[in-house]
Amino acid sequence: MRRHPIDSRVDVQVNYLHAGPRHGEGVCRTCFGATTSPRYQLCYQCQKTRDRAGGLLADLVVPITYRNGSEGQHSRDLRMYKKTPASEAARKNLTVLFRDFCMRHIRCVKNAAGVASFTHVAFVPSTKKPDQIHPLQALLTPTVQSLRRIDLGVNTDISAESREFNQDWFLLDRIPDPKPQTDVLLIDDTWVSGARAQSAAHRLKRAGARKVVTVVLARQLEPGFAPAQPLVKRITSSPFDRATCAVHEEDAAG
Ligand SMILES: [Zn+2]
Ligand SMILES: [Zn+2]
C-alpha cells in the first residue's frame, strides 16, 4: 500500500522525536514542564503567571512534543524554520507534524477543553519582530484556514525579551466576527516560560473569548535544570508515539 507523503515525513521524525507530554508526578498540570518538586502541581513559571493573571489564562495548553535543550534534529527544525533563508526541510517537518497532530488529536483537545468547535485562530506574535507576520503563522495558516483569524498587535513598551506574564503585552481592539461562543485556537512554536503565550491568551479572554486553547509545537525542557532530570530521562528513553497525545482520549481518536 502506498504511504501518504505526510505519513512518511512524520515517520522520519519519529526516529528522533522524544516521547510526548503526559500528565504525571513532577509534571506541570498546565504546561507539562518540570515542577521544582513532585509535591507541586504547577511549575515555577506557571504558578507565577497564575498569581499575576487573575484567572484569565488559556483553558488548556497542549504541547505536541518536547524540545530537549538545543541539541537534536527537532530543536534544529524549530530554530531553522524561521531563519532567513529558512530551511525548507524544517518548514515541511513542522507543517506535517502539526497537520498530523490535528488530524489525529484535535478531537482530544476539544473534548479536554469543552469546546464543540473552534471558531477562531490566533498566533502568538513575535515580540522581537512585531511588524512582521510570524513565520509560524505564514507556515500553518493554510492548515487552519477554516477558522477566522484574530491578529494580535504587540505593545512595544514591554521588553521583547521578557519572561514575565504581562496583561498588556498584546493589543486587540475587538474580536472580529465574534460568535455566541468564541472559542480560540492559539498557536505558538516553542513554550519556554509561557509568558508570551499566556499574555496572548489573557488578551483574547479579556476581549471576550469564551475558551482559549493553546497548542504549541514544543515544550522546551532544560536538561541542566536538576528537577527536570526525571522528566528528561523519561522522554529520552522512549520514542514519540503519534497515535497518542498529551490529552488523549481513546474514544475521541480517529
Ligand atoms: Zn508550567
Ligand atoms: Zn489524542
Side-chain angles (χ1 to χ4, degrees):
M1 199 175 94
R2 210 170 142 260
R3 301 275 283 140
H4 192 274
I6 285 189
D7 282 337
S8 59
R9 204 170 252 282
V10 178
D11 282 341
V12 171
Q13 294 181 73
V14 169
N15 292 327
Y16 57 73
L17 289 174
H18 299 307
R22 304 286 177 268
H23 284 300
E25 193 176 81
V27 175
C28 176
R29 300 282 309 167
T30 296
C31 75
F32 295 85
T35 62
T36 50
S37 156
R39 290 177 289 125
Y40 296 148
Q41 301 269 305
L42 297 177
C43 69
Y44 173 75
Q45 284 285 357
C46 285
Q47 184 63 56
K48 200 160 67 166
T49 297
R50 199 164 78 163
D51 293 343
R52 286 176 164 223
L56 287 182
L57 290 170
D59 297 276
L60 182 69
V61 176
V62 184
I64 298 175
T65 62
Y66 279 116
R67 176 183 187 180
N68 185 27
S70 57
E71 299 304 313
Q73 181 63 44
H74 188 43
S75 213
R76 199 148 52 238
D77 283 350
L78 287 160
R79 203 166 53 241
M80 295 306 294
Y81 92 92
K82 53 185 174 186
K83 282 266 191 290
T84 312
S87 155
E88 260 323 295
R91 288 167 54 86
K92 283 194 182 123
N93 281 343
L94 297 179
T95 304
V96 297
L97 190 68
F98 181 78
R99 283 170 60 184
D100 190 63
F101 175 85
C102 287
M103 284 191 297
R104 289 166 183 267
H105 303 295
I106 204 68
R107 286 167 65 189
C108 306
V109 172
K110 289 195 283 194
N111 286 354
V115 168
S117 56
F118 289 108
T119 57
H120 293 68
V121 66
F123 290 85
V124 179
S126 168
T127 52
K128 291 176 190 158
K129 296 176 182 168
D131 300 332
Q132 294 179 18
I133 292 173
H134 194 289
L136 192 66
Q137 179 176 328
L139 196 64
L140 299 185
T141 288
T143 308
V144 291
Q145 63 187 350
S146 62
L147 304 178
R148 180 75 163 91
R149 201 176 67 232
I150 303 171
D151 290 318
L152 293 163
V154 178
N155 176 1
T156 52
D157 290 343
I158 312 293
S159 163
E161 310 278 349
S162 173
R163 293 263 169 110
E164 304 286 334
F165 169 85
N166 192 307
Q167 62 174 9
D168 298 318
W169 208 346
F170 297 106
L171 312 171
L172 178 64
D173 290 337
R174 54 180 196 81
I175 290 175
D177 300 332
K179 304 288 179 214
Q181 294 191 337
T182 294
D183 291 337
V184 184
L185 177 63
L186 177 65
I187 305 173
D188 201 3
D189 51 9
T190 302
W191 178 293
V192 181
S193 67
R196 261 179 277 240
Q198 289 289 42
S199 300
H202 178 88
R203 194 67 198 84
L204 291 163
K205 284 247 160 156
R206 250 172 51 208
R210 185 185 75 111
K211 300 267 184 178
V212 175
V213 176
T214 306
V215 170
V216 297
L217 294 181
R219 203 307 175 192
Q220 174 89 35
L221 295 181
E222 295 309 326
F225 177 55
Q229 288 303 322
L231 180 55
V232 168
K233 194 173 169 196
R234 180 183 75 72
I235 66 155
T236 52
S237 58
S238 48
F240 185 76
D241 179 3
R242 55 196 289 219
T244 188
C245 71
V247 291
H248 197 65
E249 284 184 41
E250 287 300 333
D251 292 346

